[in-house]
Amino acid sequence: MVKGFIFDLDGVITDTADLHYLAWKELGDKIGIPIDPTFNQQLKGIGRMESLEKILHYGNKADVFSAAEKAQLAEEKNEQYKQLINRLTPDDILPGIPSLLLELRERQIKIGLASASKNAPAIIENLELTSFFDSIADAGSVASKPAPDIFLLAAAELVVEPGEAIGIEDAISGITAIQRAGMFAVGVGDKNVLQGADFIVPSTAELSVTTILEAWEKHKSEHV
């Protein structure tokens, strides 16, 4: 029996990829590493410091900055990002998500959030969705995806076993993290990119509690 749904944030609840890109681009311009939307795809689903390291390697400046300077750069990016996310409103929730959360509430299925973003609580508050979530796992306290830690933490906070939980992600690192946690993985996006997921829909508008549970039951019966 499924007792919990655990969501990624970016690309599943709302899309802050453009906001991350704008903040990283501003920082990149400052340190002389121009980045474009294509490169920005490599930063999807990973944490702040790992993203910074990728940018520095991309710009051949991996050894230019000290650990303290890197921490300062990451903080500068985050301050710019926080200014941008303050503009988010419920209009920025992705299609199908409000009705999905309502149905989960009606079915008394617990709802958790497993985001790489340390700003997740603020984003959920700006979207006016805080009341739906029984748990928002602290990304700063665990290893980044594709490690399973944040999904395991979310499940523990929901008091559900991993095998009783379903994770929803739009990035392959997140799908890997869900499966490493021993959960059923739902992918949102390109099936060629997310082909390792247990169930895939092209967009959040296609997410349905009934359809997901049917896919979970089928998967369970095939893997007894």
Side-chain angles (χ1 to χ4, degrees):
M1 179 179 177
V2 174
K3 296 182 179 179
F5 270 52
I6 301 174
F7 292 81
D8 177 38
L9 176 59
D10 293 342
V12 176
I13 301 294
T14 189
D15 192 350
T16 62
D18 287 347
L19 305 186
H20 277 294
Y21 171 60
L22 291 172
W24 280 124
K25 188 176 188 306
E26 181 171 310
L27 182 70
D29 290 343
K30 175 182 175 180
I31 60 177
I33 304 177
I35 62 174
D36 56 29
T38 300
F39 172 79
N40 189 59
Q41 290 297 311
Q42 297 182 38
L43 310 182
K44 196 172 183 179
I46 62 175
R48 194 182 311 155
M49 292 307 298
E50 189 176 350
S51 293
L52 177 60
E53 293 291 351
K54 280 185 176 289
I55 291 169
L56 295 177
H57 278 283
Y58 176 70
N60 296 313
K61 294 189 177 184
D63 301 318
V64 172
F65 301 97
S66 68
E69 288 170 331
K70 289 178 182 179
Q72 178 59 35
L73 290 173
E75 184 57 29
E76 286 180 28
K77 180 268 176 182
N78 191 48
E79 287 304 312
Q80 174 63 13
Y81 177 65
K82 285 196 288 188
Q83 291 182 31
L84 295 171
I85 63 175
N86 281 336
R87 304 175 191 173
L88 292 171
T89 72
D91 289 337
D92 295 301
I93 302 170
L94 288 173
I97 293 301
S99 58
L100 185 70
L101 295 174
L102 279 170
E103 187 174 355
L104 289 171
R105 268 282 173 262
E106 290 168 357
R107 290 174 178 251
Q108 299 184 327
I109 296 175
K110 295 178 180 179
I111 304 171
L113 192 74
S115 170
S117 174
K118 296 176 183 178
N119 297 299
I123 294 170
I124 291 297
E125 185 174 350
N126 289 338
L127 297 174
E128 299 180 12
L129 292 176
T130 304
S131 63
F132 283 102
F133 286 88
D134 300 295
S135 163
I136 297 179
D138 178 10
S141 67
V142 293
S144 300
K145 304 168 188 176
D149 302 40
I150 193 157
F151 283 97
L152 291 171
L153 176 60
E157 291 181 352
L158 293 177
V159 196
V160 302
E161 294 296 324
E164 300 171 331
I166 289 174
I168 304 179
E169 268 277 2
D170 74 319
I172 191 62
S173 60
I175 295 297
T176 302
I178 293 169
Q179 293 178 326
R180 286 179 177 175
M183 300 176 186
F184 183 81
V186 175
V188 178
D190 188 337
K191 64 182 180 181
N192 294 315
V193 175
L194 304 174
Q195 56 185 309
D198 300 306
F199 179 67
I200 303 172
V201 294
S203 73
T204 57
E206 307 300 320
L207 289 170
S208 154
V209 176
T210 299
T211 305
I212 292 171
L213 291 179
E214 287 175 352
W216 179 82
E217 289 284 0
K218 181 180 179 183
H219 180 269
K220 185 180 176 183
S221 65
E222 292 174 346
H223 293 80
V224 172

CSV table of all heavy atoms in Angstrom, one decimal, residues 10-51:
chain,number,residue,atom,x,y,z
A,10,ASP,N,11.9,21.7,-8.2
A,10,ASP,CA,12.2,22.4,-9.5
A,10,ASP,C,11.8,21.4,-10.7
A,10,ASP,O,12.3,20.3,-10.8
A,10,ASP,CB,13.6,22.8,-9.7
A,10,ASP,CG,14.0,23.9,-8.7
A,10,ASP,OD1,13.1,24.5,-8.2
A,10,ASP,OD2,15.2,24.0,-8.5
A,11,GLY,N,10.9,21.9,-11.5
A,11,GLY,CA,10.4,21.1,-12.7
A,11,GLY,C,9.3,20.2,-12.4
A,11,GLY,O,8.8,19.5,-13.3
A,12,VAL,N,8.9,20.1,-11.1
A,12,VAL,CA,7.8,19.2,-10.7
A,12,VAL,C,6.6,20.1,-10.0
A,12,VAL,O,5.5,20.0,-10.5
A,12,VAL,CB,8.2,18.1,-9.8
A,12,VAL,CG1,7.0,17.3,-9.3
A,12,VAL,CG2,9.2,17.2,-10.5
A,13,ILE,N,7.0,20.8,-9.0
A,13,ILE,CA,6.0,21.7,-8.4
A,13,ILE,C,6.0,23.1,-9.1
A,13,ILE,O,4.9,23.6,-9.3
A,13,ILE,CB,6.4,21.9,-6.9
A,13,ILE,CG1,6.4,20.6,-6.2
A,13,ILE,CG2,5.4,22.9,-6.2
A,13,ILE,CD1,5.1,19.8,-6.1
A,14,THR,N,7.1,23.6,-9.4
A,14,THR,CA,7.2,24.9,-10.1
A,14,THR,C,8.5,24.8,-10.9
A,14,THR,O,9.3,23.8,-10.8
A,14,THR,CB,7.3,26.1,-9.1
A,14,THR,OG1,7.2,27.3,-9.9
A,14,THR,CG2,8.5,26.1,-8.3
A,15,ASP,N,8.7,25.8,-11.8
A,15,ASP,CA,9.9,25.7,-12.6
A,15,ASP,C,10.8,27.0,-12.3
A,15,ASP,O,10.5,28.1,-12.7
A,15,ASP,CB,9.6,25.7,-14.1
A,15,ASP,CG,10.8,25.4,-14.9
A,15,ASP,OD1,11.9,25.4,-14.4
A,15,ASP,OD2,10.6,25.2,-16.1
A,16,THR,N,11.8,26.7,-11.5
A,16,THR,CA,12.7,27.8,-11.1
A,16,THR,C,14.0,27.8,-11.9
A,16,THR,O,15.0,28.5,-11.6
A,16,THR,CB,13.0,27.8,-9.6
A,16,THR,OG1,13.7,26.6,-9.3
A,16,THR,CG2,11.8,28.0,-8.8
A,17,ALA,N,14.1,26.9,-12.9
A,17,ALA,CA,15.3,26.7,-13.7
A,17,ALA,C,15.8,28.0,-14.3
A,17,ALA,O,17.0,28.3,-14.3
A,17,ALA,CB,15.1,25.7,-14.8
A,18,ASP,N,14.8,28.8,-14.8
A,18,ASP,CA,15.2,30.1,-15.4
A,18,ASP,C,15.8,31.0,-14.4
A,18,ASP,O,16.7,31.8,-14.6
A,18,ASP,CB,14.0,30.7,-16.1
A,18,ASP,CG,13.6,30.0,-17.4
A,18,ASP,OD1,14.4,29.2,-17.9
A,18,ASP,OD2,12.5,30.3,-17.9
A,19,LEU,N,15.2,31.0,-13.1
A,19,LEU,CA,15.7,31.9,-12.1
A,19,LEU,C,17.1,31.4,-11.6
A,19,LEU,O,18.0,32.3,-11.4
A,19,LEU,CB,14.8,31.8,-10.9
A,19,LEU,CG,13.3,32.1,-11.2
A,19,LEU,CD1,12.5,32.2,-9.9
A,19,LEU,CD2,13.2,33.5,-11.9
A,20,HIS,N,17.4,30.1,-11.5
A,20,HIS,CA,18.7,29.6,-11.2
A,20,HIS,C,19.7,30.1,-12.3
A,20,HIS,O,20.8,30.5,-12.1
A,20,HIS,CB,18.7,28.1,-11.2
A,20,HIS,CG,18.3,27.6,-9.8
A,20,HIS,ND1,19.0,27.8,-8.7
A,20,HIS,CD2,17.2,26.8,-9.5
A,20,HIS,CE1,18.4,27.2,-7.7
A,20,HIS,NE2,17.3,26.6,-8.1
A,21,TYR,N,19.2,30.0,-13.6
A,21,TYR,CA,20.1,30.3,-14.7
A,21,TYR,C,20.5,31.8,-14.7
A,21,TYR,O,21.6,32.2,-14.8
A,21,TYR,CB,19.4,30.0,-16.0
A,21,TYR,CG,20.1,30.6,-17.2
A,21,TYR,CD1,21.4,30.2,-17.5
A,21,TYR,CD2,19.4,31.5,-18.1
A,21,TYR,CE1,22.1,30.7,-18.6
A,21,TYR,CE2,20.1,32.0,-19.2
A,21,TYR,CZ,21.4,31.6,-19.5
A,21,TYR,OH,22.1,32.1,-20.5
A,22,LEU,N,19.5,32.7,-14.4
A,22,LEU,CA,19.8,34.1,-14.3
A,22,LEU,C,20.8,34.4,-13.2
A,22,LEU,O,21.7,35.3,-13.4
A,22,LEU,CB,18.5,34.9,-14.1
A,22,LEU,CG,17.5,34.9,-15.3
A,22,LEU,CD1,16.2,35.5,-14.9
A,22,LEU,CD2,18.1,35.6,-16.5
A,23,ALA,N,20.6,33.8,-12.1
A,23,ALA,CA,21.5,34.0,-11.0
A,23,ALA,C,22.9,33.5,-11.2
A,23,ALA,O,23.9,34.2,-10.9
A,23,ALA,CB,20.9,33.4,-9.7
A,24,TRP,N,23.0,32.3,-11.8
A,24,TRP,CA,24.3,31.7,-12.2
A,24,TRP,C,25.0,32.6,-13.3
A,24,TRP,O,26.2,32.8,-13.3
A,24,TRP,CB,24.2,30.3,-12.6
A,24,TRP,CG,24.1,29.3,-11.5
A,24,TRP,CD1,23.1,28.4,-11.3
A,24,TRP,CD2,25.0,29.1,-10.4
A,24,TRP,NE1,23.3,27.6,-10.2
A,24,TRP,CE2,24.5,28.1,-9.6
A,24,TRP,CE3,26.2,29.8,-10.0
A,24,TRP,CZ2,25.1,27.6,-8.4
A,24,TRP,CZ3,26.8,29.3,-8.8
A,24,TRP,CH2,26.3,28.3,-8.0
A,25,LYS,N,24.2,33.0,-14.2
A,25,LYS,CA,24.7,33.8,-15.4
A,25,LYS,C,25.3,35.1,-14.9
A,25,LYS,O,26.4,35.5,-15.3
A,25,LYS,CB,23.6,34.1,-16.4
A,25,LYS,CG,24.2,34.7,-17.7
A,25,LYS,CD,23.1,34.9,-18.7
A,25,LYS,CE,23.6,35.3,-20.0
A,25,LYS,NZ,24.5,36.5,-19.9
A,26,GLU,N,24.6,35.7,-13.9
A,26,GLU,CA,25.2,37.0,-13.4
A,26,GLU,C,26.5,36.7,-12.7
A,26,GLU,O,27.4,37.5,-12.8
A,26,GLU,CB,24.1,37.6,-12.4
A,26,GLU,CG,24.6,38.9,-11.8
A,26,GLU,CD,23.5,39.6,-11.0
A,26,GLU,OE1,22.4,39.7,-11.5
A,26,GLU,OE2,23.8,40.0,-9.8
A,27,LEU,N,26.6,35.6,-11.9
A,27,LEU,CA,27.8,35.3,-11.2
A,27,LEU,C,28.9,34.9,-12.2
A,27,LEU,O,30.0,35.4,-12.1
A,27,LEU,CB,27.6,34.1,-10.3
A,27,LEU,CG,28.9,33.7,-9.5
A,27,LEU,CD1,29.2,34.8,-8.4
A,27,LEU,CD2,28.7,32.4,-8.8
A,28,GLY,N,28.5,34.1,-13.2
A,28,GLY,CA,29.5,33.8,-14.3
A,28,GLY,C,30.1,35.0,-15.0
A,28,GLY,O,31.3,35.0,-15.2
A,29,ASP,N,29.2,35.9,-15.3
A,29,ASP,CA,29.7,37.1,-16.0
A,29,ASP,C,30.7,37.9,-15.1
A,29,ASP,O,31.7,38.4,-15.6
A,29,ASP,CB,28.5,38.1,-16.3
A,29,ASP,CG,27.6,37.5,-17.4
A,29,ASP,OD1,28.1,36.6,-18.2
A,29,ASP,OD2,26.5,38.0,-17.6
A,30,LYS,N,30.4,37.9,-13.8
A,30,LYS,CA,31.3,38.6,-12.8
A,30,LYS,C,32.7,38.0,-12.8
A,30,LYS,O,33.7,38.7,-12.7
A,30,LYS,CB,30.7,38.6,-11.4
A,30,LYS,CG,31.5,39.2,-10.4
A,30,LYS,CD,30.9,39.1,-9.0
A,30,LYS,CE,31.8,39.6,-7.9
A,30,LYS,NZ,31.2,39.5,-6.6
A,31,ILE,N,32.8,36.6,-12.9
A,31,ILE,CA,34.1,36.0,-12.7
A,31,ILE,C,34.7,35.6,-14.1
A,31,ILE,O,35.7,34.8,-14.2
A,31,ILE,CB,34.0,34.7,-11.8
A,31,ILE,CG1,33.0,33.7,-12.4
A,31,ILE,CG2,33.6,35.1,-10.4
A,31,ILE,CD1,32.9,32.4,-11.5
A,32,GLY,N,34.0,36.0,-15.2
A,32,GLY,CA,34.6,35.8,-16.5
A,32,GLY,C,34.3,34.4,-17.1
A,32,GLY,O,35.1,33.9,-17.9
A,33,ILE,N,33.2,33.8,-16.7
A,33,ILE,CA,32.8,32.5,-17.3
A,33,ILE,C,31.4,32.7,-17.9
A,33,ILE,O,30.4,32.4,-17.1
A,33,ILE,CB,32.8,31.4,-16.2
A,33,ILE,CG1,34.2,31.3,-15.6
A,33,ILE,CG2,32.5,30.1,-16.9
A,33,ILE,CD1,34.3,30.3,-14.5
A,34,PRO,N,31.3,33.0,-19.1
A,34,PRO,CA,29.9,33.1,-19.7
A,34,PRO,C,29.3,31.8,-19.8
A,34,PRO,O,29.9,30.8,-20.3
A,34,PRO,CB,30.2,33.7,-21.1
A,34,PRO,CG,31.6,34.2,-21.1
A,34,PRO,CD,32.3,33.4,-20.1
A,35,ILE,N,28.1,31.7,-19.3
A,35,ILE,CA,27.3,30.4,-19.5
A,35,ILE,C,26.0,30.6,-20.2
A,35,ILE,O,25.5,31.7,-20.2
A,35,ILE,CB,27.0,29.8,-18.1
A,35,ILE,CG1,26.1,30.7,-17.2
A,35,ILE,CG2,28.3,29.4,-17.3
A,35,ILE,CD1,25.7,30.0,-15.9
A,36,ASP,N,25.6,29.6,-20.9
A,36,ASP,CA,24.4,29.7,-21.7
A,36,ASP,C,23.3,28.7,-21.3
A,36,ASP,O,23.6,27.8,-20.5
A,36,ASP,CB,24.7,29.5,-23.2
A,36,ASP,CG,25.4,28.2,-23.5
A,36,ASP,OD1,25.2,27.2,-22.8
A,36,ASP,OD2,26.2,28.1,-24.5
A,37,PRO,N,22.1,28.8,-21.8
A,37,PRO,CA,21.0,27.8,-21.4
A,37,PRO,C,21.4,26.3,-21.6
A,37,PRO,O,21.0,25.5,-20.9
A,37,PRO,CB,19.9,28.2,-22.3
A,37,PRO,CG,20.1,29.7,-22.5
A,37,PRO,CD,21.6,29.8,-22.7
A,38,THR,N,22.2,26.1,-22.7
A,38,THR,CA,22.6,24.7,-22.9
A,38,THR,C,23.5,24.1,-21.8
A,38,THR,O,23.2,23.1,-21.3
A,38,THR,CB,23.4,24.6,-24.3
A,38,THR,OG1,22.5,25.0,-25.3
A,38,THR,CG2,23.8,23.1,-24.6
A,39,PHE,N,24.5,24.9,-21.4
A,39,PHE,CA,25.3,24.5,-20.3
A,39,PHE,C,24.5,24.4,-19.0
A,39,PHE,O,24.7,23.5,-18.2
A,39,PHE,CB,26.5,25.5,-20.1
A,39,PHE,CG,27.3,25.2,-18.8
A,39,PHE,CD1,28.2,24.1,-18.8
A,39,PHE,CD2,27.0,25.9,-17.7
A,39,PHE,CE1,28.9,23.8,-17.6
A,39,PHE,CE2,27.7,25.6,-16.5
A,39,PHE,CZ,28.6,24.6,-16.5
A,40,ASN,N,23.6,25.3,-18.8
A,40,ASN,CA,22.7,25.3,-17.6
A,40,ASN,C,22.0,24.0,-17.4
A,40,ASN,O,21.7,23.7,-16.2
A,40,ASN,CB,21.8,26.5,-17.7
A,40,ASN,CG,21.0,26.7,-16.4
A,40,ASN,OD1,21.6,27.0,-15.4
A,40,ASN,ND2,19.7,26.6,-16.4
A,41,GLN,N,21.7,23.3,-18.4
A,41,GLN,CA,21.1,22.0,-18.3
A,41,GLN,C,21.9,21.0,-17.4
A,41,GLN,O,21.3,20.1,-16.8
A,41,GLN,CB,20.8,21.3,-19.7
A,41,GLN,CG,19.8,22.1,-20.5
A,41,GLN,CD,18.4,22.0,-19.8
A,41,GLN,OE1,17.9,21.0,-19.4
A,41,GLN,NE2,17.8,23.2,-19.8
A,42,GLN,N,23.2,21.2,-17.4
A,42,GLN,CA,24.1,20.3,-16.6
A,42,GLN,C,23.9,20.6,-15.1
A,42,GLN,O,24.3,19.8,-14.3
A,42,GLN,CB,25.5,20.5,-17.0
A,42,GLN,CG,25.9,20.1,-18.4
A,42,GLN,CD,27.3,20.3,-18.7
A,42,GLN,OE1,28.2,20.1,-17.9
A,42,GLN,NE2,27.6,20.8,-19.9
A,43,LEU,N,23.3,21.7,-14.8
A,43,LEU,CA,23.2,22.1,-13.4
A,43,LEU,C,21.8,21.6,-12.8
A,43,LEU,O,21.6,21.8,-11.6
A,43,LEU,CB,23.3,23.6,-13.2
A,43,LEU,CG,24.5,24.2,-13.9
A,43,LEU,CD1,24.5,25.7,-13.6
A,43,LEU,CD2,25.8,23.6,-13.4
A,44,LYS,N,21.0,21.0,-13.6
A,44,LYS,CA,19.7,20.6,-13.2
A,44,LYS,C,19.7,19.5,-12.2
A,44,LYS,O,20.3,18.5,-12.4
A,44,LYS,CB,18.9,20.1,-14.5
A,44,LYS,CG,17.4,20.0,-14.3
A,44,LYS,CD,16.8,19.7,-15.6
A,44,LYS,CE,15.3,19.7,-15.5
A,44,LYS,NZ,14.6,19.4,-16.8
A,45,GLY,N,19.1,19.7,-11.1
A,45,GLY,CA,18.9,18.7,-10.0
A,45,GLY,C,20.1,18.5,-9.1
A,45,GLY,O,20.1,17.6,-8.3
A,46,ILE,N,21.1,19.4,-9.2
A,46,ILE,CA,22.2,19.2,-8.3
A,46,ILE,C,22.4,20.4,-7.4
A,46,ILE,O,21.8,21.5,-7.6
A,46,ILE,CB,23.6,19.0,-9.1
A,46,ILE,CG1,23.9,20.2,-10.0
A,46,ILE,CG2,23.5,17.7,-9.9
A,46,ILE,CD1,25.2,20.1,-10.7
A,47,GLY,N,23.1,20.3,-6.3
A,47,GLY,CA,23.2,21.3,-5.3
A,47,GLY,C,24.1,22.5,-5.7
A,47,GLY,O,24.7,22.5,-6.8
A,48,ARG,N,24.1,23.5,-4.9
A,48,ARG,CA,24.7,24.8,-5.2
A,48,ARG,C,26.3,24.7,-5.4
A,48,ARG,O,26.8,25.2,-6.3
A,48,ARG,CB,24.4,25.8,-4.0
A,48,ARG,CG,24.7,27.3,-4.4
A,48,ARG,CD,24.4,28.1,-3.2
A,48,ARG,NE,23.1,27.8,-2.7
A,48,ARG,CZ,22.7,28.0,-1.4
A,48,ARG,NH1,23.6,28.5,-0.5
A,48,ARG,NH2,21.5,27.8,-1.0
A,49,MET,N,26.9,24.0,-4.4
A,49,MET,CA,28.4,24.0,-4.5
A,49,MET,C,28.8,23.1,-5.7
A,49,MET,O,29.8,23.4,-6.3
A,49,MET,CB,29.0,23.4,-3.2
A,49,MET,CG,28.8,24.4,-2.0
A,49,MET,SD,29.5,26.0,-2.3
A,49,MET,CE,31.2,25.7,-2.6
A,50,GLU,N,28.1,22.0,-5.9
A,50,GLU,CA,28.4,21.1,-7.1
A,50,GLU,C,28.2,21.9,-8.4
A,50,GLU,O,29.0,21.8,-9.3
A,50,GLU,CB,27.5,19.9,-7.0
A,50,GLU,CG,28.0,18.8,-8.1
A,50,GLU,CD,27.2,17.6,-8.0
A,50,GLU,OE1,26.4,17.4,-7.0
A,50,GLU,OE2,27.3,16.7,-8.9
A,51,SER,N,27.2,22.7,-8.4
A,51,SER,CA,26.9,23.6,-9.6
A,51,SER,C,28.1,24.5,-9.8
A,51,SER,O,28.5,24.7,-11.0
A,51,SER,CB,25.6,24.3,-9.5
A,51,SER,OG,24.5,23.5,-9.4
